[in-house]
Amino acid sequence: MQLHRLASNWARLGVGFNVSPARKTPDIEPLIIETSTVVATDARLFQMAVSWITLNAQLIAVHRLGALVRTMVDSSPMGLMLELAASAGANRSLRAAIDACTPASVAAPLFDIDRRSTAAAKLVRDHAMPVSRHWGRWIDEFELHSAAIRSLEWTLKHNRTLSQRLVLSDADLSAWLVLRDASKPIHAAEIARRAGISRMQALRSTQRLGLLGFASSPKKLSGPRRRMSEAVL
């Protein structure tokens, strides 16, 4: 059920899974996080997710993704996914999220099927890609499936809210997504923590978001920082 739901969400974003797309546009960063926790069970999901990240990195709030990574128990599969996407030519730097990941404490094959026997594990270990050795999650090959990922134009046409992600810097985008999801006013320090940016970046981002007319700013910024932001606005 979880794999089907994930595939449906990725299909909504233009990934060529043979499932009906989700009815609503998924929240990209939590989708990537959840996907990384189950890729060990599905090599195709792993390949497709990395391919989408590579070709659509400009839609990702990388600092926010990094903040979410820091809440994970095991971020080694995520580190491998992002490192592969970066080396394949992702069109936005993923470094802020990659640096939040931690290699596995005990190295092993990434995919469950390769862990089922000592012989299979040894085979993938002996032929593991260097980047997978670094993250302690061995894979022996990776192929970018560009042909299975729809164009950015298609993705934006079918997910119109994503166009907002293209007009903001990564720090501003990460802050805006935090403000968007906040149910009540929050301090700049909390925005910074959830967005994976510094307090000063959070304050500056809320100022810029207000100037750009993004509705969630600065009304959800509380405390002295809000008064400073409103003074600038």
Side-chain angles (χ1 to χ4, degrees):
M1 181 66 74
Q2 182 184 21
L3 289 174
H4 185 275
R5 176 174 52 79
L6 288 171
S8 181
N9 280 322
W10 282 112
R12 177 66 188 242
L13 295 178
V15 176
F17 286 121
N18 188 27
V19 297
S20 298
R23 293 184 177 182
K24 296 182 179 179
T25 299
D27 196 357
I28 291 175
E29 294 75 33
L31 175 61
I32 295 174
I33 291 287
E34 185 179 3
T35 297
S36 75
T37 67
V38 298
V39 289
T41 67
D42 193 321
R44 188 162 183 262
L45 177 62
F46 174 82
Q47 292 177 325
M48 292 296 199
V50 174
S51 297
W52 189 93
I53 293 168
T54 302
L55 299 172
N56 295 279
Q58 71 268 47
L59 294 176
I60 300 172
V62 180
H63 283 85
R64 182 195 187 208
L65 181 61
L68 292 173
V69 165
R70 293 184 182 92
T71 68
M72 302 180 72
V73 174
D74 179 11
S75 59
S76 56
M78 173 65 76
L80 177 57
M81 290 171 63
L82 296 177
E83 199 87 73
L84 286 170
S87 63
N91 51 18
R92 168 175 277 185
S93 174
L94 300 171
R95 181 50 53 187
I98 293 172
D99 288 347
C101 300
T102 304
S105 56
V106 178
L110 172 64
F111 300 120
D112 290 346
I113 193 171
D114 293 322
R115 301 187 187 195
R116 292 177 181 174
S117 72
T118 302
K122 182 178 184 303
L123 183 64
V124 70
R125 181 196 66 192
D126 292 346
H127 296 88
M129 299 174 66
V131 66
S132 72
R133 291 183 184 277
H134 169 76
W135 291 104
R137 288 293 177 255
W138 309 322
I139 57 172
D140 55 7
E141 62 180 352
F142 172 75
E143 180 182 356
L144 196 67
H145 288 274
S146 302
I149 309 298
R150 291 186 181 272
S151 68
L152 176 62
E153 291 73 19
W154 184 98
T155 301
L156 294 177
K157 179 180 178 181
H158 291 81
N159 302 273
R160 296 190 181 279
T161 57
L162 294 184
S163 62
Q164 296 169 321
R165 289 173 172 259
L166 295 177
V167 301
L168 297 173
S169 70
D170 192 81
D172 290 355
L173 173 59
S174 295
W176 175 65
L177 291 170
V178 169
L179 288 165
R180 180 201 66 182
D181 294 342
S183 59
K184 59 183 179 180
I186 54 178
H187 286 274
E190 182 62 15
I191 295 172
R193 185 187 69 80
R194 297 185 196 180
I197 56 179
S198 69
R199 292 185 182 185
M200 186 56 66
Q201 283 179 311
L203 178 59
R204 290 173 177 169
S205 289
T206 56
Q207 293 171 353
R208 284 191 292 268
L209 290 168
L211 290 170
L212 289 170
F214 281 78
S216 293
S217 173
K219 67 180 181 180
K220 289 185 178 178
L221 183 65
S222 66
R225 296 286 186 176
R226 176 177 180 174
R227 292 192 289 274
M228 291 172 62
S229 177
E230 290 175 336
V232 174
L233 293 175

